[in-house]
Amino acid sequence: MKRSFKHMRWLAALALGALAACETNPITGRSQFMVVSEDMAIGQSAAAYSSMMGDLGKKRKVEADSPRAEKVRHITDRLIAQAVRFRPDSAKWKWEVQVINDPKTVNAFCMAGGKMAIYSGMWEKLKATDDEVAQVMGHEIGHALANHTQERMSIAYSTSIGTQLAAIALGARDQTAALMQQAAVVAIQLPNSRESESEADQIGIELAARAGYDPAAAVSLWDKMGKLGGGTPPEFLSTHPSPEHRKETLQALGARMQPLYLAAKSAKPGDAPSFLSSKEAVNERVVTRPGEPTREEFAARVANEPTTMSFLAEPFEKFKRGETVFDCRAQCAFTYSRRTPDWKKLHGRRQWRDLAVAVLQVGYLGDLSYFMLAEAARGLGLREAASTYYKRALDAGKEYGCGADCEGFNVPKLASAALGR
Ligand SMILES: [Zn+2]
């Protein structure tokens, strides 16, 4: 009796989860299956990571102070300083990276919340250069930024519930935590979809280029992986299957990234704070050196520089020139109604670039869309584009206005005032 009640509760939880399951990705705009909340994914991944590293540490399989561990920390720190540009909230993650001494394994991962590892097989078997290590870690960070790890955790978690609920006699809370941690480990062993692979390739190569690592290394890295003999393909390829034409796509992306790479290489080192937990982090409180920005300050500043991930660049460049025109109504109405609360939040936080990207991703024809674009353009200092969009907001309002109180904005009044009418 008691047991079937428990069954019911889990099924109910699962059903509730399924209702709230589809979320829009903050970077790519793709809809994802999510049962595990982001906070849960981050918290339980950290717990799973620390027990995994604890076990490996006992077997003396974690390289703490080797020169290559030092180098990996340096590379990933530079990648993270670029990552927070596109996801300012990731500045709060407790980023960490370890080198696992396992010369036969060619693999690396980044869990939800920034807990990373790379296996020593990357050097022993693959002879990876620094630029190639940057590509591997950039790719892994790309998966985490685009919430792919959370997505796979959601899949692992919802499958494990079905098969395990009868066997576990723990209290519901311990049970959830145990299953979640297991899901966090399974998530990094589950293959990514080819769609996710393309996204991570794009994000990774760009993070690396902006951090000053050669985009050509992305191609040589996948080449080396593919050629690795010995019968079984490297672990890395089984969890990161190749999307079609990966090599050609990476070559084309690399050419587009070349200017970013050259600019980063010739720039003097920036004032980015360290993002990795290090000896300087005392009791989880990060000590900043005098004059150095905190992680959050740094992230907030770079997030408002008017550049965006290059795969969003085309619509974004049009936006900057004042050329964005919306024409989608019924088809985009559902997404619009789901995402307008996010717009309001981004507006409140003055995250202008992210606001513009969010509005462009929805593409809905309405006065609020144009008004938000205008506000974003104004926030980014694009005065001409701003006045174009204020005018379009007023025009759109004649037919497609959402009234005097649209998410708390009186668009006609505010747009007129901004135009000095
Ligand atoms: Zn991948």
Side-chain angles (χ1 to χ4, degrees):
M1 187 65 203
K2 215 176 164 191
R3 196 180 231 188
S4 66
F5 173 67
K6 233 175 189 174
H7 263 93
M8 296 275 288
R9 211 166 47 176
W10 277 109
L11 286 173
L14 194 63
L16 273 177
L19 274 179
C22 271
E23 278 175 31
T24 312
N25 185 286
I27 293 189
T28 60
R30 181 165 66 83
S31 173
Q32 292 172 306
F33 171 77
M34 297 295 187
V35 189
V36 178
S37 76
E38 184 161 34
D39 286 349
M40 271 281 203
I42 291 176
Q44 299 304 336
S45 294
Y49 183 84
S50 96
S51 83
M52 185 193 279
M53 291 306 148
D55 289 348
L56 287 165
K58 278 184 216 144
K59 296 179 202 150
R60 300 188 175 278
K61 285 202 152 191
V62 179
E63 288 185 19
D65 290 312
S66 69
R68 76 187 161 199
E70 198 57 48
K71 212 189 274 176
V72 168
R73 275 197 289 274
H74 175 72
I75 294 171
T76 42
D77 216 12
R78 282 170 63 176
L79 293 169
I80 300 163
Q82 298 305 320
V84 300
R85 231 172 239 286
F86 306 106
R87 269 200 72 171
D89 62 319
S90 68
K92 286 195 219 74
W93 290 2
K94 297 198 176 75
W95 293 92
E96 188 177 341
V97 67
Q98 298 291 352
V99 173
I100 298 172
N101 192 338
D102 183 347
K104 290 208 172 83
T105 303
V106 177
N107 210 357
F109 64 80
C110 180
M111 291 173 141
K115 298 293 188 190
M116 304 174 275
I118 179 166
Y119 291 77
S120 57
M122 278 292 174
W123 295 276
E124 307 293 343
K125 286 184 82 171
L126 210 65
K127 309 270 180 271
T129 63
D130 286 3
D131 287 303
E132 287 166 351
V133 169
Q135 297 298 336
V136 169
M137 297 319 287
H139 179 98
E140 295 303 322
I141 291 171
H143 279 306
L145 290 182
N147 290 350
H148 296 156
T149 346
Q150 187 193 346
E151 195 176 12
R152 281 185 295 163
M153 238 178 114
S154 294
I155 295 167
Y157 181 64
S158 48
T159 349
S160 70
I161 278 186
T163 54
Q164 300 207 2
L165 77 174
I168 296 177
L170 293 167
R173 266 181 72 183
D174 296 337
Q175 184 174 328
T176 312
L179 283 176
M180 285 270 180
Q181 285 174 37
Q182 200 178 27
V185 176
V186 175
I188 55 171
Q189 297 161 349
L190 275 179
N192 279 284
S193 67
R194 284 171 209 274
E195 202 175 15
S196 298
E197 281 308 305
S198 300
E199 289 174 4
D201 277 350
Q202 288 192 332
I203 299 171
I205 197 171
E206 179 157 356
L207 293 178
R210 287 176 184 273
Y213 295 101
D214 191 353
V219 180
S220 62
L221 171 81
W222 291 106
D223 255 357
K224 281 185 184 178
M225 293 260 187
K227 281 182 196 143
L228 208 61
T232 47
E235 294 73 13
F236 194 84
L237 283 186
S238 62
T239 46
H240 302 267
S242 257
E244 258 192 273
H245 312 297
R246 178 173 248 159
K247 188 171 175 174
E248 292 77 4
T249 312
L250 286 172
Q251 268 164 345
L253 277 170
R256 279 174 64 193
M257 296 302 139
Q258 197 66 15
L260 289 173
Y261 163 58
L262 294 176
K265 259 191 88 167
S266 61
K268 58 178 177 10
D271 55 353
S274 166
F275 287 91
L276 289 168
S277 336
S278 64
K279 287 165 197 150
E280 287 174 68
V282 184
N283 298 330
E284 302 206 339
R285 196 174 62 88
V286 181
V287 183
T288 44
R289 287 180 283 275
E292 191 186 70
T294 65
R295 298 171 183 194
E296 281 84 357
E297 282 164 1
F298 175 78
R301 198 186 70 218
V302 292
N304 261 336
E305 288 172 6
T307 55
T308 183
M309 293 300 285
S310 66
F311 63 93
L312 295 171
E314 261 176 60
F316 195 79
E317 291 305 313
K318 262 179 104 175
F319 150 73
K320 287 203 284 185
R321 293 195 299 265
E323 291 168 6
T324 302
V325 177
F326 297 123
D327 54 12
C328 181
R329 285 287 296 173
Q331 257 192 321
C332 306
F334 181 65
T335 327
Y336 169 78
S337 65
R338 281 193 55 150
R339 294 213 65 190
T340 38
D342 297 341
W343 297 359
K344 196 180 172 178
K345 272 186 229 154
L346 292 169
H347 187 277
R349 290 193 222 117
R350 309 172 65 82
Q351 278 176 244
W352 304 122
R353 193 198 61 213
D354 293 347
L355 175 62
V357 169
V359 175
L360 293 170
Q361 278 171 346
V362 175
Y364 182 73
L365 170 58
D367 61 346
L368 186 67
S369 299
Y370 283 122
F371 176 74
M372 286 292 175
L373 276 194
E375 294 280 288
R378 184 159 75 171
L380 292 169
L382 310 163
R383 287 175 55 191
E384 253 174 70
S387 66
T388 306
Y389 297 128
Y390 283 124
K391 282 179 206 146
R392 282 189 196 150
L394 290 176
D395 282 349
K398 290 173 199 155
E399 216 175 324
Y400 309 114
C402 67
D405 181 18
C406 202
E407 289 292 322
F409 294 94
N410 183 336
V411 173
K413 201 173 149 198
L414 291 167
S416 303
L419 287 165
R421 290 183 185 170

